[in-house]
Structures are given as C-alpha cells and as structure tokens.
Amino acid sequence: MPVLVSDSSTDSISLLYFDISLNKATSMAAHRTFKPRSKPRISASPVFILIAGVTSLFLLCSLSSIIGFSLSPYKASEIMARYSRPKRQHSLHDKYLYWGNRIDCPGKHCDSCEGLGHQESSLRCALEEAMFLNRTFVMPSRMCINPLHNKKGILHQSSNDTSEEGWAASSCGMDSLYDIDMISDTVPVLLDNTKMWYRVLLTAMKLGSRGIVHVSGISRNDLIEHDKYSNHLLINRTASPLSWFMECKDRNNRSAIMLPYKFLPSMAAKPLSDAARKIKAFLGDYDAIHVRRGDKIKTRKDKSGVARSLHPHLDRDTRPEFILRKIEEWVPQGRTVFIASNERTPGFFSPMSVRYKLAYSSNYSRILDPVIQNNYQLFMIERLIMMGAKTFIKTFKEDDTDLALCDDPKKNTKVWQIPVYTMDEEVAS
C-alpha cells in the first residue's frame, strides 16, 4: 500500500511502498465458499401477516420519534432515501483529480488556516473543476479549524470564564461536516484516507507517464481538450499557494459558477442535519438573522491615534436597537426570531425581546451537545436552521434580493474608515 507524501513547495506527489501481502489474507477469506443450511418452510398465516404489519407500523412510529419530528411536514421519501442511500463505488476505470491534502492553506499562514467560509470557497472551486472535467475529486479527509472560530462560549453563553474555553481540536474529519455520499450524487468524491485512493496511487505509479500528470497554471479548458492531460488516470493540480479558490478566476462571472453557494451548506453530515431538523421542529414558524460581529468589527488606530474600521457601519448596524429599527418592516412583532451570531457578550441581543421571541443555539444544548465537537459543526447546523426560516436576514447583502442589516460591502475593501455609531450617514475619510 503506498503512502502519500506532499512537498509543500511544489505540491508534488511521491509514493513510498511497503508490504501489501496483508491484503492476501483478506482476499483469500473473501473467496471462501460456505454451503447454506437448509431451513424449514414456514407458511405465512393470516395471523403472522397481521403481526408483521403491526410491527412495521410500530417501527415506523419509533423511527419518527427517534428522529425527533413528525414526518408530515417533510417528504418521507427524501428522509428515507438519505437513510438508505448506497455508498458510491469507485474503480480504476474512473479518472481522478487531486488538489493537495490541505484545503485553502494560505501561503505562510498554513498553521492557522482560514475560516470555514474561505475553505468552502476553495472546496467549491475544486469540486467545480472535477465536475467540469468529469473526474472524481480526491477530497482531503480532514479540514483544519481556525482557533479564532472555535470558542465554546458561542454555544454556552455565560458570564463564567470557563465557558470561553476553546475545543482542543485543530482539525476535524471532513465526513463529520459533510455527507460525502450526498455530495457524490452531484460530484463523485473520494476521501484521501481510503484504501481506494491508495489503489489509485499505486496503479498510477505502475502506469508511469500515463498514470499521473502534474499541472500548474493550466486552465481547466486545456485540461479537458488536450490528450496529454485528459488521458491520465490522475491529474495532480498544483493549486495556488495563497488559497485554492484563487484557481477559480471567473468566480465573479455568475455564468461560470457551476455550484451555488448553498450547495455545501445543504450537504451537511447526517447527524448535523438531523439536529437541525429537530430544532426547526421546536421553533415552528420562525424567522432568522445572522449577525456577524466578532472579527468583523475590529478597529485599528491610524498615525493620529484615530480608530478606523474596514466596515464603518457594521458595529452600529448589528446592535440590538438598530436591528429592531432595520427589521421592523420585514418581521412582524411577536414573531419567533432565531439569532445566529459570533457575538460572545451574554445577553447582548436581549433588548430585542421587547418585540420578538428570541431563540439561540444555546437554547437547544440538549440536542447539540451530543453532536458537535467544534464551532464549524455548530455553524453548519445554524445555517440549515437559517435556510429554513420564513424570512432570513443576513449581515451583508450578497445578492440584490437579499435582506441585510448592513449596507457596507462584505468584501475587504482595504479602506480603513472612521466608524459611525449614529444615524448620520456621513463618514469621515
């Protein structure tokens, strides 16, 4: 079985071999034949059929109870399909695309890595290329976790300092975030810690020059049009050292985007999606707001000692009194409002309770605690909840049809301005 070694400077693939004779025992055991025992014939009596029918009904009701919601508001066929979906079978007749074993490792900052949003941008970019090339994407089996976005206090909001302790994890399994089989229904995916991936590497090495081709700075159109690339079993894409999504030069061109932003959020791993369904059932008819504060409202002082921010209105627009003023025309009084935020001040949004019934992830720790080990998983669940809201209000406007709290551009403009905390719209430069 080969072992993958990645050279960070060139992102090339080296293969080392060690004894694979261990597989022979498994192979021999698999080919052993057994003579089936004869079983007595049993006639299906009406009583037996009745008992079987009652048992099946009982099991269906129990399943509904375990899942934590009634099947009536959802399509039962979709739920059962997810439980019974067969795993995709990969073979050496397929062709593969590899982008390296680190998602969005931004140059000199690989130790800290980027946040979930940046890493998903990179992952969508790579999945789109595999989709375009009609290849199976070899996905890294783990995602690094940015410690800035992994504070336990976001879920357990409390004045107790111990609640601010972070999870110890610096990475998590990709299959703990995403349903790999469900992704494979759209883009075939193979994790890079599987035996099949090692078989692909071993076969590619045996094929020599026809096995692996290392490419860098080549467009996806060239990769599919030229035989010197398209006929190889494995394409090793040397992605940008800044971040994977730098390879997607046309991401601002809507017609060039094959996978929408909502694709990966909707591909959450089954335990996460089940938890989201349970919480949505408790919420009933609700609205949702995503309030991005934390790192986005940071300021720095200029040479004159004046504090400046990249988002001058954000701190103001995400405070409770301004949120109430902003959303009153979108959300009627008395509605249940689910708030997802990286604001860690306990009770920060409490003033909004004069008009709305507020709900947070921390209200459902009984459901979430057994499921989540990091805030990436928590945010995956919160996104599913927000997607199910009657009215969803974002922090920044991404599309013209979006409802948003703040009109500042989401993208980093590199222009540091003096923050505005009143309704005066003039910003000093």
Side-chain angles (χ1 to χ4, degrees), residues 154-157 278-279 282-283 336-340 357-369 378 382 385:
I154 294 179
L155 176 58
H156 298 278
Q157 295 191 15
K278 293 177 183 178
I279 294 174
F282 279 113
L283 289 171
T336 296
V337 176
F338 177 82
I339 298 177
K357 292 176 285 187
L358 304 181
Y360 313 90
S361 296
S362 54
N363 299 140
Y364 305 99
S365 57
R366 179 179 60 84
I367 297 174
L368 295 174
D369 280 346
L378 175 60
E382 288 184 329
I385 296 172

Side-chain angles (χ1 to χ4, degrees), residues 1-2 22-23 26 90 92 190-203:
M1 184 181 297
L22 202 60
N23 291 333
T26 305
H90 302 281
L92 296 175
L190 176 68
L191 292 178
D192 71 356
N193 64 346
T194 58
K195 290 182 178 179
M196 186 62 209
W197 169 229
Y198 295 135
R199 286 187 60 197
V200 171
L201 289 174
L202 183 61
T203 304

Side-chain angles (χ1 to χ4, degrees), residues 165-266:
E165 295 176 357
W167 279 284
S170 60
S171 69
C172 63
M174 196 69 75
D175 54 2
S176 73
L177 295 175
Y178 305 105
D179 187 324
I180 305 301
D181 293 326
M182 189 157 61
I183 292 177
S184 293
D185 289 341
T186 303
V187 186
V189 167
L190 176 68
L191 292 178
D192 71 356
N193 64 346
T194 58
K195 290 182 178 179
M196 186 62 209
W197 169 229
Y198 295 135
R199 286 187 60 197
V200 171
L201 289 174
L202 183 61
T203 304
M205 178 62 87
K206 290 180 178 179
L207 290 174
S209 60
R210 295 181 295 110
I212 304 176
V213 57
H214 306 277
V215 301
S216 177
I218 299 174
S219 71
R220 59 180 60 173
N221 287 318
D222 289 337
L223 290 178
I224 200 171
E225 291 173 359
H226 298 290
D227 292 344
K228 63 179 179 179
Y229 306 125
S230 61
N231 289 335
H232 285 74
L233 173 66
L234 174 61
I235 291 178
N236 174 36
R237 160 72 85 176
T238 305
S240 168
L242 296 177
S243 58
W244 276 13
F245 63 80
M246 296 296 291
E247 302 296 329
C248 292
K249 305 299 183 182
D250 296 328
R251 285 211 68 84
N252 291 328
N253 178 7
R254 294 283 177 178
S255 62
I257 298 177
M258 303 172 69
L259 295 173
Y261 169 81
K262 291 184 179 180
F263 177 74
L264 285 172
S266 64

Side-chain angles (χ1 to χ4, degrees), residues 249-322:
K249 305 299 183 182
D250 296 328
R251 285 211 68 84
N252 291 328
N253 178 7
R254 294 283 177 178
S255 62
I257 298 177
M258 303 172 69
L259 295 173
Y261 169 81
K262 291 184 179 180
F263 177 74
L264 285 172
S266 64
M267 297 288 122
K270 182 179 170 298
L272 307 183
S273 62
D274 285 349
R277 287 193 189 99
K278 293 177 183 178
I279 294 174
K280 286 191 289 186
F282 279 113
L283 289 171
D285 182 21
Y286 66 98
D287 304 299
I289 307 176
H290 180 219
V291 187
R292 181 81 180 269
R293 288 178 56 82
D295 57 315
K296 287 292 183 180
I297 61 174
K298 67 180 180 181
T299 61
R300 74 177 186 186
K301 293 183 178 180
D302 60 17
K303 295 179 180 179
S304 302
V306 178
R308 293 177 178 268
S309 171
L310 290 172
H311 306 280
H313 299 88
L314 180 61
D315 192 7
R316 179 199 70 181
D317 291 346
T318 54
R319 291 177 179 271
E321 58 271 26
F322 287 94

Side-chain angles (χ1 to χ4, degrees), residues 102-114 144 146 241-242:
R102 283 288 303 270
I103 289 184
D104 195 21
C105 181
K108 298 179 181 179
H109 305 288
C110 288
D111 291 338
S112 62
C113 81
E114 287 289 348
C144 65
N146 190 319
L242 296 177

Side-chain angles (χ1 to χ4, degrees), residues 14-79:
S14 300
L15 299 177
L16 299 177
Y17 291 90
F18 58 87
D19 191 7
I20 59 173
S21 60
L22 202 60
N23 291 333
K24 294 181 180 179
T26 305
S27 177
M28 293 175 61
H31 287 85
R32 292 179 62 186
T33 57
F34 298 90
K35 184 177 180 181
R37 297 179 180 178
S38 59
K39 295 182 180 180
R41 297 176 60 87
I42 301 176
S43 59
S45 66
V47 175
F48 177 80
I49 294 174
L50 178 61
I51 293 174
V54 172
T55 303
S56 299
L57 181 60
F58 174 77
L59 289 174
L60 182 61
C61 294
S62 298
L63 177 62
S64 174
S65 175
I66 292 172
I67 294 175
F69 56 84
S70 170
L71 292 177
S72 56
Y74 304 90
K75 293 182 180 179
S77 58
E78 294 179 0
I79 298 169

Side-chain angles (χ1 to χ4, degrees), residues 69-137:
F69 56 84
S70 170
L71 292 177
S72 56
Y74 304 90
K75 293 182 180 179
S77 58
E78 294 179 0
I79 298 169
M80 298 309 297
R82 183 160 188 171
Y83 277 81
S84 60
R85 178 186 290 109
K87 289 186 175 295
R88 182 182 180 88
Q89 299 298 317
H90 302 281
S91 75
L92 296 175
H93 296 290
D94 301 327
K95 293 181 179 180
Y96 296 85
L97 174 68
Y98 181 68
W99 273 48
N101 63 350
R102 283 288 303 270
I103 289 184
D104 195 21
C105 181
K108 298 179 181 179
H109 305 288
C110 288
D111 291 338
S112 62
C113 81
E114 287 289 348
L116 178 62
H118 282 88
Q119 296 193 69
E120 283 192 335
S121 293
S122 288
L123 186 53
R124 279 198 312 276
C125 178
L127 288 170
E128 283 181 356
E129 181 163 282
M131 192 176 182
F132 181 81
L133 300 177
N134 195 26
R135 286 177 173 265
T136 296
F137 177 63

